[in-house]
mmCIF file of all heavy atoms in Angstrom:
data_model
loop_
_atom_site.group_PDB
_atom_site.id
_atom_site.type_symbol
_atom_site.label_atom_id
_atom_site.label_comp_id
_atom_site.label_asym_id
_atom_site.label_seq_id
_atom_site.Cartn_x
_atom_site.Cartn_y
_atom_site.Cartn_z
ATOM 1 N N VAL A 1 0.810 -1.221 0.000
ATOM 2 C CA VAL A 1 0.000 0.000 0.000
ATOM 3 C C VAL A 1 0.842 1.269 0.000
ATOM 4 O O VAL A 1 0.308 2.370 0.161
ATOM 5 C CB VAL A 1 -0.963 0.013 1.210
ATOM 6 C CG1 VAL A 1 -1.871 -1.194 1.181
ATOM 7 C CG2 VAL A 1 -0.196 0.084 2.533
ATOM 8 N N GLY A 2 2.175 1.144 -0.201
ATOM 9 C CA GLY A 2 3.036 2.316 -0.142
ATOM 10 C C GLY A 2 3.418 2.632 1.296
ATOM 11 O O GLY A 2 3.046 1.930 2.233
ATOM 12 N N ILE A 3 4.195 3.706 1.450
ATOM 13 C CA ILE A 3 4.707 4.041 2.788
ATOM 14 C C ILE A 3 3.588 4.693 3.599
ATOM 15 O O ILE A 3 3.564 5.906 3.825
ATOM 16 C CB ILE A 3 5.945 4.945 2.678
ATOM 17 C CG1 ILE A 3 7.013 4.285 1.803
ATOM 18 C CG2 ILE A 3 6.534 5.211 4.067
ATOM 19 C CD1 ILE A 3 8.248 5.126 1.593
ATOM 20 N N CYS A 4 2.661 3.873 4.009
ATOM 21 C CA CYS A 4 1.421 4.355 4.641
ATOM 22 C C CYS A 4 1.004 3.386 5.740
ATOM 23 O O CYS A 4 0.060 2.614 5.585
ATOM 24 C CB CYS A 4 0.302 4.471 3.598
ATOM 25 S SG CYS A 4 0.737 5.398 2.119
ATOM 26 N N GLU A 5 1.744 3.410 6.845
ATOM 27 C CA GLU A 5 1.463 2.455 7.911
ATOM 28 C C GLU A 5 0.066 2.623 8.496
ATOM 29 O O GLU A 5 -0.612 1.631 8.805
ATOM 30 C CB GLU A 5 2.520 2.590 9.019
ATOM 31 C CG GLU A 5 3.915 2.155 8.613
ATOM 32 C CD GLU A 5 4.707 3.255 7.918
ATOM 33 O OE1 GLU A 5 4.168 4.380 7.780
ATOM 34 O OE2 GLU A 5 5.846 2.997 7.507
ATOM 35 N N GLN A 6 -0.359 3.854 8.677
ATOM 36 C CA GLN A 6 -1.686 4.091 9.241
ATOM 37 C C GLN A 6 -2.764 3.489 8.332
ATOM 38 O O GLN A 6 -3.688 2.813 8.793
ATOM 39 C CB GLN A 6 -1.918 5.590 9.407
ATOM 40 C CG GLN A 6 -1.026 6.243 10.444
ATOM 41 C CD GLN A 6 -1.128 7.756 10.384
ATOM 42 O OE1 GLN A 6 -0.661 8.387 9.443
ATOM 43 N NE2 GLN A 6 -1.741 8.344 11.383
ATOM 44 N N HIS A 7 -2.633 3.750 7.051
ATOM 45 C CA HIS A 7 -3.592 3.206 6.081
ATOM 46 C C HIS A 7 -3.554 1.683 6.096
ATOM 47 O O HIS A 7 -4.606 1.032 6.045
ATOM 48 C CB HIS A 7 -3.265 3.744 4.691
ATOM 49 C CG HIS A 7 -3.995 3.059 3.580
ATOM 50 N ND1 HIS A 7 -5.379 2.983 3.518
ATOM 51 C CD2 HIS A 7 -3.537 2.387 2.479
ATOM 52 C CE1 HIS A 7 -5.734 2.316 2.430
ATOM 53 N NE2 HIS A 7 -4.636 1.941 1.796
ATOM 54 N N ALA A 8 -2.346 1.106 6.172
ATOM 55 C CA ALA A 8 -2.226 -0.356 6.160
ATOM 56 C C ALA A 8 -3.016 -0.983 7.299
ATOM 57 O O ALA A 8 -3.706 -1.995 7.122
ATOM 58 C CB ALA A 8 -0.753 -0.768 6.242
ATOM 59 N N VAL A 9 -2.946 -0.387 8.486
ATOM 60 C CA VAL A 9 -3.626 -0.953 9.655
ATOM 61 C C VAL A 9 -5.141 -0.810 9.532
ATOM 62 O O VAL A 9 -5.894 -1.769 9.768
ATOM 63 C CB VAL A 9 -3.108 -0.286 10.944
ATOM 64 C CG1 VAL A 9 -3.948 -0.715 12.147
ATOM 65 C CG2 VAL A 9 -1.640 -0.658 11.171
ATOM 66 N N THR A 10 -5.620 0.374 9.143
ATOM 67 C CA THR A 10 -7.071 0.556 9.045
ATOM 68 C C THR A 10 -7.644 -0.196 7.844
ATOM 69 O O THR A 10 -8.772 -0.703 7.902
ATOM 70 C CB THR A 10 -7.414 2.052 8.978
ATOM 71 O OG1 THR A 10 -6.872 2.697 10.137
ATOM 72 C CG2 THR A 10 -8.913 2.273 8.961
ATOM 73 N N LEU A 11 -6.889 -0.301 6.774
ATOM 74 C CA LEU A 11 -7.294 -1.137 5.640
ATOM 75 C C LEU A 11 -7.474 -2.581 6.095
ATOM 76 O O LEU A 11 -8.464 -3.250 5.746
ATOM 77 C CB LEU A 11 -6.239 -1.054 4.535
ATOM 78 C CG LEU A 11 -6.465 -1.919 3.293
ATOM 79 C CD1 LEU A 11 -7.627 -1.396 2.463
ATOM 80 C CD2 LEU A 11 -5.196 -1.950 2.437
ATOM 81 N N SER A 12 -6.536 -3.061 6.883
ATOM 82 C CA SER A 12 -6.629 -4.417 7.425
ATOM 83 C C SER A 12 -7.880 -4.571 8.285
ATOM 84 O O SER A 12 -8.582 -5.592 8.219
ATOM 85 C CB SER A 12 -5.380 -4.743 8.251
ATOM 86 O OG SER A 12 -4.209 -4.653 7.471
ATOM 87 N N ALA A 13 -8.149 -3.541 9.088
ATOM 88 C CA ALA A 13 -9.337 -3.591 9.950
ATOM 89 C C ALA A 13 -10.606 -3.660 9.109
ATOM 90 O O ALA A 13 -11.536 -4.421 9.419
ATOM 91 C CB ALA A 13 -9.366 -2.366 10.856
ATOM 92 N N GLY A 14 -10.669 -2.866 8.045
ATOM 93 C CA GLY A 14 -11.847 -2.900 7.171
ATOM 94 C C GLY A 14 -12.053 -4.263 6.557
ATOM 95 O O GLY A 14 -13.189 -4.767 6.491
ATOM 96 N N MET A 15 -10.967 -4.879 6.102
ATOM 97 C CA MET A 15 -11.077 -6.227 5.533
ATOM 98 C C MET A 15 -11.533 -7.235 6.581
ATOM 99 O O MET A 15 -12.331 -8.131 6.296
ATOM 100 C CB MET A 15 -9.728 -6.650 4.947
ATOM 101 C CG MET A 15 -9.344 -5.931 3.669
ATOM 102 S SD MET A 15 -7.787 -6.578 2.997
ATOM 103 C CE MET A 15 -7.784 -5.813 1.371
ATOM 104 N N ALA A 16 -11.038 -7.068 7.807
ATOM 105 C CA ALA A 16 -11.392 -8.009 8.873
ATOM 106 C C ALA A 16 -12.882 -7.962 9.194
ATOM 107 O O ALA A 16 -13.476 -8.974 9.579
ATOM 108 C CB ALA A 16 -10.564 -7.718 10.121
ATOM 109 N N THR A 17 -13.510 -6.793 9.032
ATOM 110 C CA THR A 17 -14.954 -6.709 9.294
ATOM 111 C C THR A 17 -15.760 -7.552 8.310
ATOM 112 O O THR A 17 -16.911 -7.892 8.581
ATOM 113 C CB THR A 17 -15.465 -5.253 9.209
ATOM 114 O OG1 THR A 17 -15.340 -4.777 7.860
ATOM 115 C CG2 THR A 17 -14.719 -4.347 10.168
ATOM 116 N N GLN A 18 -15.137 -7.896 7.184
ATOM 117 C CA GLN A 18 -15.823 -8.680 6.161
ATOM 118 C C GLN A 18 -15.433 -10.161 6.199
ATOM 119 O O GLN A 18 -15.656 -10.902 5.243
ATOM 120 C CB GLN A 18 -15.517 -8.101 4.775
ATOM 121 C CG GLN A 18 -15.888 -6.636 4.645
ATOM 122 C CD GLN A 18 -17.342 -6.377 4.992
ATOM 123 O OE1 GLN A 18 -18.255 -6.952 4.372
ATOM 124 N NE2 GLN A 18 -17.572 -5.513 5.982
ATOM 125 N N GLY A 19 -14.822 -10.563 7.302
ATOM 126 C CA GLY A 19 -14.531 -11.976 7.495
ATOM 127 C C GLY A 19 -13.196 -12.443 6.948
ATOM 128 O O GLY A 19 -12.912 -13.642 6.980
ATOM 129 N N LEU A 20 -12.364 -11.524 6.449
ATOM 130 C CA LEU A 20 -11.051 -11.922 5.947
ATOM 131 C C LEU A 20 -10.051 -11.980 7.093
ATOM 132 O O LEU A 20 -10.168 -11.270 8.094
ATOM 133 C CB LEU A 20 -10.570 -10.944 4.875
ATOM 134 C CG LEU A 20 -11.430 -10.885 3.604
ATOM 135 C CD1 LEU A 20 -10.894 -9.826 2.646
ATOM 136 C CD2 LEU A 20 -11.468 -12.252 2.909
ATOM 137 N N LYS A 21 -9.048 -12.818 6.941
ATOM 138 C CA LYS A 21 -7.987 -12.955 7.936
ATOM 139 C C LYS A 21 -6.745 -12.280 7.353
ATOM 140 O O LYS A 21 -6.045 -12.832 6.515
ATOM 141 C CB LYS A 21 -7.713 -14.418 8.247
ATOM 142 C CG LYS A 21 -6.624 -14.631 9.288
ATOM 143 C CD LYS A 21 -7.001 -14.098 10.669
ATOM 144 C CE LYS A 21 -8.085 -14.937 11.329
ATOM 145 N NZ LYS A 21 -8.257 -14.586 12.755
ATOM 146 N N VAL A 22 -6.489 -11.052 7.817
ATOM 147 C CA VAL A 22 -5.423 -10.225 7.247
ATOM 148 C C VAL A 22 -4.153 -10.368 8.077
ATOM 149 O O VAL A 22 -4.168 -10.195 9.299
ATOM 150 C CB VAL A 22 -5.837 -8.747 7.185
ATOM 151 C CG1 VAL A 22 -4.738 -7.922 6.522
ATOM 152 C CG2 VAL A 22 -7.151 -8.595 6.430
ATOM 153 N N TYR A 23 -3.051 -10.677 7.376
ATOM 154 C CA TYR A 23 -1.719 -10.657 7.976
ATOM 155 C C TYR A 23 -1.064 -9.354 7.536
ATOM 156 O O TYR A 23 -0.685 -9.193 6.374
ATOM 157 C CB TYR A 23 -0.893 -11.854 7.532
ATOM 158 C CG TYR A 23 -1.269 -13.152 8.207
ATOM 159 C CD1 TYR A 23 -2.453 -13.815 7.883
ATOM 160 C CD2 TYR A 23 -0.446 -13.720 9.179
ATOM 161 C CE1 TYR A 23 -2.809 -15.007 8.512
ATOM 162 C CE2 TYR A 23 -0.791 -14.917 9.811
ATOM 163 C CZ TYR A 23 -1.973 -15.546 9.470
ATOM 164 O OH TYR A 23 -2.315 -16.727 10.086
ATOM 165 N N CYS A 24 -0.960 -8.415 8.463
ATOM 166 C CA CYS A 24 -0.380 -7.106 8.176
ATOM 167 C C CYS A 24 1.056 -7.114 8.686
ATOM 168 O O CYS A 24 1.286 -7.158 9.900
ATOM 169 C CB CYS A 24 -1.198 -6.018 8.869
ATOM 170 S SG CYS A 24 -0.640 -4.341 8.530
ATOM 171 N N THR A 25 2.021 -7.101 7.773
ATOM 172 C CA THR A 25 3.415 -7.193 8.183
ATOM 173 C C THR A 25 4.076 -5.825 8.113
ATOM 174 O O THR A 25 4.108 -5.187 7.059
ATOM 175 C CB THR A 25 4.192 -8.232 7.343
ATOM 176 O OG1 THR A 25 5.565 -8.220 7.736
ATOM 177 C CG2 THR A 25 4.085 -7.962 5.855
ATOM 178 N N ILE A 26 4.578 -5.376 9.243
ATOM 179 C CA ILE A 26 5.169 -4.050 9.401
ATOM 180 C C ILE A 26 6.415 -4.185 10.274
ATOM 181 O O ILE A 26 6.429 -4.956 11.227
ATOM 182 C CB ILE A 26 4.179 -3.077 10.075
ATOM 183 C CG1 ILE A 26 2.901 -2.922 9.248
ATOM 184 C CG2 ILE A 26 4.810 -1.705 10.296
ATOM 185 C CD1 ILE A 26 1.870 -1.982 9.866
ATOM 186 N N TYR A 27 7.452 -3.429 9.951
ATOM 187 C CA TYR A 27 8.604 -3.397 10.843
ATOM 188 C C TYR A 27 8.178 -2.842 12.200
ATOM 189 O O TYR A 27 7.363 -1.924 12.285
ATOM 190 C CB TYR A 27 9.714 -2.511 10.281
ATOM 191 C CG TYR A 27 10.426 -3.051 9.063
ATOM 192 C CD1 TYR A 27 10.004 -4.219 8.421
ATOM 193 C CD2 TYR A 27 11.530 -2.387 8.544
ATOM 194 C CE1 TYR A 27 10.664 -4.700 7.310
ATOM 195 C CE2 TYR A 27 12.200 -2.852 7.431
ATOM 196 C CZ TYR A 27 11.758 -4.008 6.811
ATOM 197 O OH TYR A 27 12.426 -4.477 5.711
ATOM 198 N N SER A 28 8.767 -3.366 13.257
ATOM 199 C CA SER A 28 8.378 -2.969 14.606
ATOM 200 C C SER A 28 8.456 -1.462 14.804
ATOM 201 O O SER A 28 7.535 -0.842 15.344
ATOM 202 C CB SER A 28 9.277 -3.670 15.629
ATOM 203 O OG SER A 28 9.066 -3.161 16.919
ATOM 204 N N SER A 29 9.566 -0.842 14.374
ATOM 205 C CA SER A 29 9.700 0.603 14.597
ATOM 206 C C SER A 29 8.731 1.396 13.738
ATOM 207 O O SER A 29 8.340 2.511 14.098
ATOM 208 C CB SER A 29 11.144 1.066 14.321
ATOM 209 O OG SER A 29 11.473 0.911 12.964
ATOM 210 N N PHE A 30 8.304 0.860 12.592
ATOM 211 C CA PHE A 30 7.336 1.558 11.749
ATOM 212 C C PHE A 30 5.916 1.423 12.299
ATOM 213 O O PHE A 30 5.061 2.266 12.041
ATOM 214 C CB PHE A 30 7.374 1.021 10.316
ATOM 215 C CG PHE A 30 8.692 1.232 9.612
ATOM 216 C CD1 PHE A 30 8.973 0.569 8.430
ATOM 217 C CD2 PHE A 30 9.654 2.088 10.119
ATOM 218 C CE1 PHE A 30 10.179 0.758 7.779
ATOM 219 C CE2 PHE A 30 10.864 2.284 9.472
ATOM 220 C CZ PHE A 30 11.133 1.618 8.297
ATOM 221 N N MET A 31 5.680 0.365 13.066
ATOM 222 C CA MET A 31 4.359 0.179 13.669
ATOM 223 C C MET A 31 4.037 1.313 14.635
ATOM 224 O O MET A 31 2.867 1.630 14.875
ATOM 225 C CB MET A 31 4.316 -1.164 14.404
ATOM 226 C CG MET A 31 2.945 -1.547 14.919
ATOM 227 S SD MET A 31 1.808 -1.916 13.567
ATOM 228 C CE MET A 31 0.259 -1.921 14.441
#
């Protein structure tokens, strides 16, 4: 999703509301 950690997390949350199992991989310091 590009250098957009905030978007990556909320995008994952949106997908999860629809029953998907999202693996969001982020470097610890970027989290």
Side-chain angles (χ1 to χ4, degrees):
V1 301
I3 304 178
C4 309
E5 292 85 2
Q6 293 170 290
H7 169 57
V9 172
T10 303
L11 177 70
S12 300
M15 288 184 169
T17 66
Q18 303 305 302
L20 297 177
K21 181 65 71 169
V22 183
Y23 284 73
C24 183
T25 177
I26 300 179
Y27 290 6
S28 171
S29 66
F30 297 167
M31 187 68 193

